[in-house]
Amino acid sequence: MIITIDGPAASGKSTAARLLAQKLSASFLDTGAMYRAVTLAAMQASVNMSDEDELLSVIRTNKFEFSVTDDEMSVRINGIDFTEQIRTPQVTANARYIASCPNVREKLVEMQRQFAASRQKIVTEGRDQGTVAFPDADIKFYLVADSAARAKRRQADLRAGGDDQTLEQIQMAIEERDKSDKNRAVGPLKPADDAVIIDTTDLSIDGVVEKLLSCVKEKCLKKN
Ligand code: DC
């Protein structure tokens, strides 16, 4: 069983996907962590972020390992744990170069399919999971929320990590990422035609998970 959850930055996908996976005893895949890992490796190698061949060589010459421990995606590059370092604002800002490189996307989608192939049940989240990576997924969700609500959530997360940015700064960065996610030529952010769209603006995370779970139950009942 494959469940995809796509949506813009800070729409609550990651936490919702993780909790839904827990409830369904399914595996969880945070595909943003993959883009972040390649971004960090590219930054470490000081490659030209606009050069597709150089970015591809980053994938070829580094060993990336993704696993789920304590319900979090952990990331190792060449055997070293970089789970925390892939979340820095610099990595977040540079990830758009990796995300808009077609050949890199192709490789990452391949890795995502391999990850899913060895698992019975998976909840996978990102931008293109229902549209490109798993067009035949059993259930597809697309989460949305207005950018002011998303900025508030992101600010709370950042504050918890000791980073104090203004709401305006955060909302502007989120809106820029939306633009870059929606307008890239490959794997753009958009709902699959058969996705269930859920607006999380006024929902708590528990409320989101409840909605997802009830849709899953309803769809499973219909199938059987
Ligand atoms: O979800 P996130 O913020 O961790 O994603 C990090 C970056 O990766 C962001 O620039 C969007 C991109 N991404 C993507 O293009 N496709 C995915 N399936 C997942 C993430």
Side-chain angles (χ1 to χ4, degrees), residues 31-32 35-36 87 95 99 105 126-129 177 181 184:
T31 61
Y35 286 86
R36 287 171 179 275
R87 304 279 162 201
R105 292 198 76 87
R127 306 291 191 285
D128 59 347
Q129 297 300 284
R177 287 179 71 198
D181 274 336
R184 70 173 157 255

Side-chain angles (χ1 to χ4, degrees), residues 16-17 32 42-43 46 74 89-90 96 99 111 141 144 175 194 208 223:
M43 287 163 67
S46 303
S74 54
Q90 291 88 337
R96 70 189 167 96
M111 283 161 82
F141 292 106
V144 293
E175 286 170 1
D194 50 350
V208 176
K223 277 195 173 174

Side-chain angles (χ1 to χ4, degrees), residues 102-121:
N103 290 326
V104 171
R105 292 198 76 87
E106 201 181 300
K107 293 259 176 263
L108 291 186
V109 166
E110 215 175 280
M111 283 161 82
Q112 291 154 19
R113 290 180 180 151
Q114 270 168 15
F115 189 95
S118 56
R119 284 155 174 97
Q120 268 205 330
K121 281 189 262 178

Side-chain angles (χ1 to χ4, degrees), residues 37 42 70 79 96 136-137 149 179 204 212:
D70 295 333
R96 70 189 167 96
D136 298 327
K179 213 161 52 180
S204 66
L212 297 175

Side-chain angles (χ1 to χ4, degrees), residues 1 139 214-224:
M1 179 170 73
I139 307 170
S214 78
C215 284
V216 172
K217 285 183 182 153
E218 200 180 301
K219 292 221 174 206
C220 287
L221 277 179
K222 267 192 202 153
K223 277 195 173 174
N224 294 326

